[in-house]
Amino acid sequence: MTIYSHHASRGKVQILATYRGPAGVVSATVTSVDELKLAVPIVDALNRISACATVPVSVYDERDDRFAHYPDAHLADLSDRNVRPSLLEGAHSLWYEHAMGLLHWALMDLDTAVAGVPVPVRTAINAELEVEAHGLRDELAEYVENIEPQEPEKRRLWDFESPFVDLNGVEFELSQVSRDTLNGVELGLDHVEIVQAAANLRLLLAAQLQCTGNWVELLADGLEISEDPHDEDEDRYYLNVQAPMPRGKWGRTSWSVELGRWVPDGAQPEDGSNLKGEPVLKCGRTEPPALSEILELFKRSDGRSDVLAAWAKTPVGEPLAGTAFVVTKRYED
């Protein structure tokens, strides 16, 4: 329920926390660092942490026509490193667990961002996370149980369905559209199936966030990562890493790497937008790939059409060059 920013002042760069208080919008200094390059990643991580922690408790869980609240246990993870692994262990719902995965990686990014700053700066940032978590717990207690905060003059005000956060970087993932889409994916699944789907989604998220390529994106509703270099070559290839879909939807019952190319779909307009994906080959496997294997795959491809074109010639039974993924099917043979 807080928006973070940075501001140059007297040779330092201040990190500010802005929130709604009893007297209106308030800005307070969290800490300061020596250089802008230190402040930028800290502010970015803090904003994603605030958004991922706040939005899930600011909307209703409307799956299967219910009208319930999402869990708030994750608020303890903001300031307690010992319980942080729990962010990657739940199975409440696909959208909530996706948000928790984003929160986990935002906290990891904050750890990286503050690794090189003085201890007092780290202490101040940890204190800010405690204030944020404590304040949000107080607001929820009043909203749900009608328990008033003990220090009302210091409170950070929070409104259900209107959280005061910066969604830059996680806007779509925390949106109503994303929530509705993932709710649709898990419709009718039992708890065991949600556990597995959530684990697969977490693996894909971890891979996507650690890939350095500009063209790698997570398509959460399709449980896949896609790399599409958007080259203008005659043969334009794409690469997907796909998890099995719940209950075998779309015929996807196992993990696979799919390499395909874009081809004209009917009459070709001048802007070249009328294209459809056509699979070239598949590397299927019964067991989930290791995170390191997925990262190595995208490191090797690196968004290069020439690499994808070379892989497209790989025969059945052979691995994509430099990777652990063996071709199990060719669609053109």
Side-chain angles (χ1 to χ4, degrees):
M1 56 183 178
T2 302
I3 294 176
Y4 297 93
S5 60
H6 52 74
H7 175 69
S9 177
R10 298 180 181 180
K12 292 275 192 175
V13 181
Q14 292 181 322
I15 294 174
L16 305 176
T18 301
Y19 51 89
R20 293 185 295 224
V25 176
V26 177
S27 289
T29 300
V30 175
T31 187
S32 60
V33 293
D34 292 332
E35 301 177 73
L36 181 61
K37 68 179 182 180
L38 294 174
V40 169
I42 292 174
V43 167
D44 174 69
L46 286 172
N47 275 322
R48 285 185 285 125
I49 290 167
S50 180
C52 292
T54 306
V55 172
V57 297
S58 303
V59 295
Y60 283 119
D61 177 7
E62 299 174 322
R63 293 173 300 145
D64 301 325
D65 296 323
R66 75 188 77 189
F67 203 62
H69 292 286
Y70 282 96
D72 62 5
H74 62 271
L75 297 179
D77 301 326
L78 299 190
S79 56
D80 188 346
R81 293 174 179 272
N82 294 325
V83 298
R84 194 180 294 181
S86 65
L87 291 171
L88 301 179
E89 296 172 352
H92 175 272
S93 60
L94 289 183
W95 179 78
Y96 177 75
E97 300 309 332
H98 187 38
M100 294 304 98
L102 291 167
L103 176 57
H104 168 81
W105 286 102
L107 287 164
M108 295 285 287
D109 287 344
L110 181 62
D111 287 347
T112 300
V114 302
V117 301
V119 172
V121 174
R122 293 201 298 271
T123 300
I125 291 173
N126 287 336
E128 170 60 26
L129 291 178
E130 292 179 3
V131 170
E132 176 81 348
H134 180 76
L136 189 48
R137 281 195 295 265
D138 282 351
E139 293 296 291
L140 287 170
E142 182 183 43
Y143 180 76
V144 178
E145 305 175 50
N146 203 29
I147 300 175
E148 294 188 7
Q150 294 183 353
E151 298 180 291
E153 72 282 356
K154 295 182 179 180
R155 68 190 294 184
R156 298 187 180 188
L157 299 179
W158 161 86
D159 291 323
F160 189 80
E161 295 187 331
S162 183
F164 192 71
V165 293
D166 181 351
L167 292 171
N168 185 34
V170 290
E171 182 174 8
F172 176 76
E173 290 83 352
L174 299 180
S175 69
Q176 179 75 49
V177 172
S178 176
R179 189 160 67 254
D180 290 343
T181 302
L182 287 175
N183 287 349
V185 172
E186 71 171 78
L187 186 65
L189 301 185
D190 59 31
H191 179 70
V192 173
E193 291 170 317
I194 292 177
V195 168
Q196 187 58 63
N200 292 343
L201 182 56
R202 277 191 286 265
L203 174 57
L204 292 170
L205 175 64
Q208 185 266 327
L209 291 177
Q210 294 181 72
C211 284
T212 56
N214 293 328
W215 305 113
V216 180
E217 63 176 325
L218 171 65
L219 307 175
D221 58 326
L223 294 182
E224 64 183 319
I225 306 174
S226 180
E227 180 182 54
D228 187 354
H230 298 296
D231 285 345
E232 299 300 328
D233 296 345
E234 182 177 348
D235 287 324
R236 177 179 154 191
Y237 291 95
Y238 61 86
L239 184 68
N240 297 332
V241 175
Q242 302 172 325
M245 288 296 289
R247 301 197 173 179
K249 183 179 178 182
W250 304 333
R252 274 174 39 198
T253 59
S254 61
W255 281 87
S256 66
V257 169
E258 178 188 81
L259 192 154
R261 65 167 168 252
W262 296 104
V263 298
D265 185 14
Q268 182 75 346
E270 293 183 1
D271 63 1
S273 61
N274 194 22
L275 300 173
K276 65 178 180 179
E278 183 179 83
V280 175
L281 58 79
K282 181 175 80 170
C283 306
R285 58 197 301 173
T286 56
E287 296 297 323
L291 174 60
S292 59
E293 292 176 326
I294 300 175
L295 295 177
E296 182 62 26
L297 175 76
F298 287 112
K299 180 180 178 181
R300 292 278 183 176
S301 62
D302 195 29
R304 293 174 53 187
S305 291
D306 60 326
V307 174
L308 298 183
W311 282 353
K313 301 174 183 177
T314 308
V316 171
E318 295 294 326
L320 303 180
T323 81
F325 296 96
V326 176
V327 177
T328 56
K329 180 177 181 179
R330 291 190 58 87
Y331 293 87
E332 298 178 325
D333 296 342

mmCIF file of all heavy atoms in Angstrom, residues 41-64:
data_model
loop_
_atom_site.group_PDB
_atom_site.id
_atom_site.type_symbol
_atom_site.label_atom_id
_atom_site.label_comp_id
_atom_site.label_asym_id
_atom_site.label_seq_id
_atom_site.Cartn_x
_atom_site.Cartn_y
_atom_site.Cartn_z
ATOM 1 N N PRO A 41 17.428 0.058 -8.672
ATOM 2 C CA PRO A 41 16.959 -1.321 -8.469
ATOM 3 C C PRO A 41 16.288 -1.534 -7.113
ATOM 4 O O PRO A 41 15.404 -2.382 -6.982
ATOM 5 C CB PRO A 41 18.232 -2.163 -8.602
ATOM 6 C CG PRO A 41 19.361 -1.222 -8.334
ATOM 7 C CD PRO A 41 18.902 0.110 -8.831
ATOM 8 N N ILE A 42 16.687 -0.768 -6.096
ATOM 9 C CA ILE A 42 16.047 -0.886 -4.785
ATOM 10 C C ILE A 42 14.600 -0.408 -4.868
ATOM 11 O O ILE A 42 13.679 -1.083 -4.401
ATOM 12 C CB ILE A 42 16.825 -0.074 -3.722
ATOM 13 C CG1 ILE A 42 18.192 -0.706 -3.465
ATOM 14 C CG2 ILE A 42 16.022 0.009 -2.418
ATOM 15 C CD1 ILE A 42 19.078 0.111 -2.548
ATOM 16 N N VAL A 43 14.396 0.737 -5.490
ATOM 17 C CA VAL A 43 13.043 1.284 -5.630
ATOM 18 C C VAL A 43 12.174 0.362 -6.472
ATOM 19 O O VAL A 43 11.007 0.109 -6.145
ATOM 20 C CB VAL A 43 13.103 2.699 -6.243
ATOM 21 C CG1 VAL A 43 11.718 3.165 -6.689
ATOM 22 C CG2 VAL A 43 13.691 3.683 -5.230
ATOM 23 N N ASP A 44 12.727 -0.155 -7.557
ATOM 24 C CA ASP A 44 11.973 -1.072 -8.417
ATOM 25 C C ASP A 44 11.530 -2.310 -7.642
ATOM 26 O O ASP A 44 10.360 -2.725 -7.719
ATOM 27 C CB ASP A 44 12.823 -1.480 -9.616
ATOM 28 C CG ASP A 44 12.154 -2.544 -10.464
ATOM 29 O OD1 ASP A 44 11.141 -2.240 -11.115
ATOM 30 O OD2 ASP A 44 12.631 -3.690 -10.459
ATOM 31 N N ALA A 45 12.431 -2.905 -6.889
ATOM 32 C CA ALA A 45 12.095 -4.112 -6.116
ATOM 33 C C ALA A 45 11.070 -3.798 -5.032
ATOM 34 O O ALA A 45 10.119 -4.563 -4.822
ATOM 35 C CB ALA A 45 13.360 -4.713 -5.504
ATOM 36 N N LEU A 46 11.239 -2.671 -4.327
ATOM 37 C CA LEU A 46 10.283 -2.301 -3.286
ATOM 38 C C LEU A 46 8.883 -2.104 -3.854
ATOM 39 O O LEU A 46 7.891 -2.518 -3.237
ATOM 40 C CB LEU A 46 10.741 -1.035 -2.574
ATOM 41 C CG LEU A 46 11.912 -1.177 -1.596
ATOM 42 C CD1 LEU A 46 12.365 0.199 -1.116
ATOM 43 C CD2 LEU A 46 11.531 -2.057 -0.399
ATOM 44 N N ASN A 47 8.775 -1.494 -5.011
ATOM 45 C CA ASN A 47 7.461 -1.291 -5.611
ATOM 46 C C ASN A 47 6.813 -2.610 -6.007
ATOM 47 O O ASN A 47 5.605 -2.805 -5.813
ATOM 48 C CB ASN A 47 7.570 -0.370 -6.834
ATOM 49 C CG ASN A 47 7.528 1.093 -6.452
ATOM 50 O OD1 ASN A 47 6.803 1.503 -5.559
ATOM 51 N ND2 ASN A 47 8.329 1.902 -7.140
ATOM 52 N N ARG A 48 7.589 -3.532 -6.548
ATOM 53 C CA ARG A 48 7.020 -4.833 -6.904
ATOM 54 C C ARG A 48 6.636 -5.622 -5.661
ATOM 55 O O ARG A 48 5.615 -6.323 -5.653
ATOM 56 C CB ARG A 48 8.017 -5.618 -7.765
ATOM 57 C CG ARG A 48 8.086 -5.093 -9.192
ATOM 58 C CD ARG A 48 8.968 -5.947 -10.078
ATOM 59 N NE ARG A 48 10.382 -5.738 -9.803
ATOM 60 C CZ ARG A 48 11.245 -6.702 -9.498
ATOM 61 N NH1 ARG A 48 10.826 -7.956 -9.387
ATOM 62 N NH2 ARG A 48 12.514 -6.422 -9.282
ATOM 63 N N ILE A 49 7.433 -5.510 -4.606
ATOM 64 C CA ILE A 49 7.099 -6.181 -3.350
ATOM 65 C C ILE A 49 5.784 -5.642 -2.800
ATOM 66 O O ILE A 49 4.880 -6.412 -2.415
ATOM 67 C CB ILE A 49 8.233 -6.005 -2.320
ATOM 68 C CG1 ILE A 49 9.463 -6.808 -2.743
ATOM 69 C CG2 ILE A 49 7.776 -6.426 -0.922
ATOM 70 C CD1 ILE A 49 10.717 -6.453 -1.973
ATOM 71 N N SER A 50 5.658 -4.325 -2.747
ATOM 72 C CA SER A 50 4.443 -3.711 -2.218
ATOM 73 C C SER A 50 3.223 -4.128 -3.038
ATOM 74 O O SER A 50 2.171 -4.474 -2.488
ATOM 75 C CB SER A 50 4.581 -2.190 -2.213
ATOM 76 O OG SER A 50 3.413 -1.575 -1.704
ATOM 77 N N ALA A 51 3.358 -4.121 -4.371
ATOM 78 C CA ALA A 51 2.232 -4.477 -5.230
ATOM 79 C C ALA A 51 1.841 -5.940 -5.077
ATOM 80 O O ALA A 51 0.655 -6.271 -4.934
ATOM 81 C CB ALA A 51 2.578 -4.170 -6.689
ATOM 82 N N CYS A 52 2.831 -6.825 -5.101
ATOM 83 C CA CYS A 52 2.536 -8.268 -5.022
ATOM 84 C C CYS A 52 2.016 -8.677 -3.654
ATOM 85 O O CYS A 52 1.281 -9.658 -3.537
ATOM 86 C CB CYS A 52 3.784 -9.074 -5.371
ATOM 87 S SG CYS A 52 4.284 -8.941 -7.103
ATOM 88 N N ALA A 53 2.398 -7.946 -2.625
ATOM 89 C CA ALA A 53 1.896 -8.241 -1.282
ATOM 90 C C ALA A 53 0.503 -7.675 -1.072
ATOM 91 O O ALA A 53 -0.334 -8.285 -0.375
ATOM 92 C CB ALA A 53 2.847 -7.675 -0.231
ATOM 93 N N THR A 54 0.225 -6.521 -1.673
ATOM 94 C CA THR A 54 -1.012 -5.794 -1.384
ATOM 95 C C THR A 54 -2.185 -6.196 -2.263
ATOM 96 O O THR A 54 -3.302 -6.382 -1.769
ATOM 97 C CB THR A 54 -0.772 -4.276 -1.523
ATOM 98 O OG1 THR A 54 0.331 -3.893 -0.704
ATOM 99 C CG2 THR A 54 -2.000 -3.499 -1.091
ATOM 100 N N VAL A 55 -1.963 -6.331 -3.560
ATOM 101 C CA VAL A 55 -3.084 -6.598 -4.465
ATOM 102 C C VAL A 55 -3.844 -7.875 -4.114
ATOM 103 O O VAL A 55 -5.089 -7.874 -4.110
ATOM 104 C CB VAL A 55 -2.600 -6.621 -5.931
ATOM 105 C CG1 VAL A 55 -3.724 -7.095 -6.862
ATOM 106 C CG2 VAL A 55 -2.124 -5.235 -6.350
ATOM 107 N N PRO A 56 -3.179 -9.005 -3.794
ATOM 108 C CA PRO A 56 -3.944 -10.213 -3.488
ATOM 109 C C PRO A 56 -4.889 -10.091 -2.294
ATOM 110 O O PRO A 56 -5.889 -10.820 -2.232
ATOM 111 C CB PRO A 56 -2.853 -11.265 -3.220
ATOM 112 C CG PRO A 56 -1.694 -10.800 -4.025
ATOM 113 C CD PRO A 56 -1.721 -9.300 -3.897
ATOM 114 N N VAL A 57 -4.601 -9.205 -1.352
ATOM 115 C CA VAL A 57 -5.516 -9.045 -0.212
ATOM 116 C C VAL A 57 -6.476 -7.886 -0.451
ATOM 117 O O VAL A 57 -7.244 -7.528 0.449
ATOM 118 C CB VAL A 57 -4.738 -8.834 1.107
ATOM 119 C CG1 VAL A 57 -3.898 -10.067 1.429
ATOM 120 C CG2 VAL A 57 -3.864 -7.586 1.051
ATOM 121 N N SER A 58 -6.442 -7.333 -1.662
ATOM 122 C CA SER A 58 -7.295 -6.193 -1.986
ATOM 123 C C SER A 58 -8.396 -6.554 -2.982
ATOM 124 O O SER A 58 -9.111 -5.672 -3.461
ATOM 125 C CB SER A 58 -6.455 -5.046 -2.558
ATOM 126 O OG SER A 58 -5.430 -4.668 -1.666
ATOM 127 N N VAL A 59 -8.510 -7.837 -3.308
ATOM 128 C CA VAL A 59 -9.527 -8.299 -4.255
ATOM 129 C C VAL A 59 -10.194 -9.549 -3.690
ATOM 130 O O VAL A 59 -9.659 -10.201 -2.785
ATOM 131 C CB VAL A 59 -8.912 -8.617 -5.633
ATOM 132 C CG1 VAL A 59 -8.350 -7.356 -6.285
ATOM 133 C CG2 VAL A 59 -7.828 -9.675 -5.518
ATOM 134 N N TYR A 60 -11.345 -9.871 -4.220
ATOM 135 C CA TYR A 60 -12.069 -11.067 -3.781
ATOM 136 C C TYR A 60 -11.670 -12.282 -4.614
ATOM 137 O O TYR A 60 -11.425 -12.184 -5.821
ATOM 138 C CB TYR A 60 -13.576 -10.866 -3.902
ATOM 139 C CG TYR A 60 -14.181 -10.013 -2.813
ATOM 140 C CD1 TYR A 60 -14.831 -8.825 -3.128
ATOM 141 C CD2 TYR A 60 -14.103 -10.390 -1.478
ATOM 142 C CE1 TYR A 60 -15.396 -8.029 -2.135
ATOM 143 C CE2 TYR A 60 -14.653 -9.602 -0.473
ATOM 144 C CZ TYR A 60 -15.298 -8.425 -0.814
ATOM 145 O OH TYR A 60 -15.837 -7.641 0.171
ATOM 146 N N ASP A 61 -11.627 -13.419 -3.953
ATOM 147 C CA ASP A 61 -11.465 -14.706 -4.622
ATOM 148 C C ASP A 61 -12.849 -15.155 -5.081
ATOM 149 O O ASP A 61 -13.682 -15.555 -4.267
ATOM 150 C CB ASP A 61 -10.858 -15.715 -3.636
ATOM 151 C CG ASP A 61 -10.731 -17.111 -4.234
ATOM 152 O OD1 ASP A 61 -10.995 -17.271 -5.448
ATOM 153 O OD2 ASP A 61 -10.389 -18.045 -3.482
ATOM 154 N N GLU A 62 -13.082 -15.078 -6.379
ATOM 155 C CA GLU A 62 -14.406 -15.365 -6.923
ATOM 156 C C GLU A 62 -14.450 -16.665 -7.712
ATOM 157 O O GLU A 62 -15.354 -16.886 -8.526
ATOM 158 C CB GLU A 62 -14.852 -14.197 -7.820
ATOM 159 C CG GLU A 62 -14.954 -12.881 -7.069
ATOM 160 C CD GLU A 62 -15.258 -11.705 -7.976
ATOM 161 O OE1 GLU A 62 -14.722 -11.664 -9.106
ATOM 162 O OE2 GLU A 62 -16.028 -10.840 -7.549
ATOM 163 N N ARG A 63 -13.508 -17.547 -7.471
ATOM 164 C CA ARG A 63 -13.513 -18.837 -8.170
ATOM 165 C C ARG A 63 -14.739 -19.658 -7.786
ATOM 166 O O ARG A 63 -15.157 -19.665 -6.628
ATOM 167 C CB ARG A 63 -12.248 -19.631 -7.820
ATOM 168 C CG ARG A 63 -10.944 -19.035 -8.342
ATOM 169 C CD ARG A 63 -9.753 -19.802 -7.782
ATOM 170 N NE ARG A 63 -9.729 -19.733 -6.324
ATOM 171 C CZ ARG A 63 -9.317 -20.707 -5.524
ATOM 172 N NH1 ARG A 63 -8.897 -21.844 -6.031
ATOM 173 N NH2 ARG A 63 -9.322 -20.554 -4.215
ATOM 174 N N ASP A 64 -15.282 -20.348 -8.777
ATOM 175 C CA ASP A 64 -16.415 -21.252 -8.538
ATOM 176 C C ASP A 64 -17.552 -20.549 -7.802
ATOM 177 O O ASP A 64 -18.187 -21.126 -6.902
ATOM 178 C CB ASP A 64 -15.961 -22.488 -7.747
ATOM 179 C CG ASP A 64 -14.872 -23.263 -8.462
ATOM 180 O OD1 ASP A 64 -14.912 -23.317 -9.705
ATOM 181 O OD2 ASP A 64 -13.984 -23.801 -7.784
#
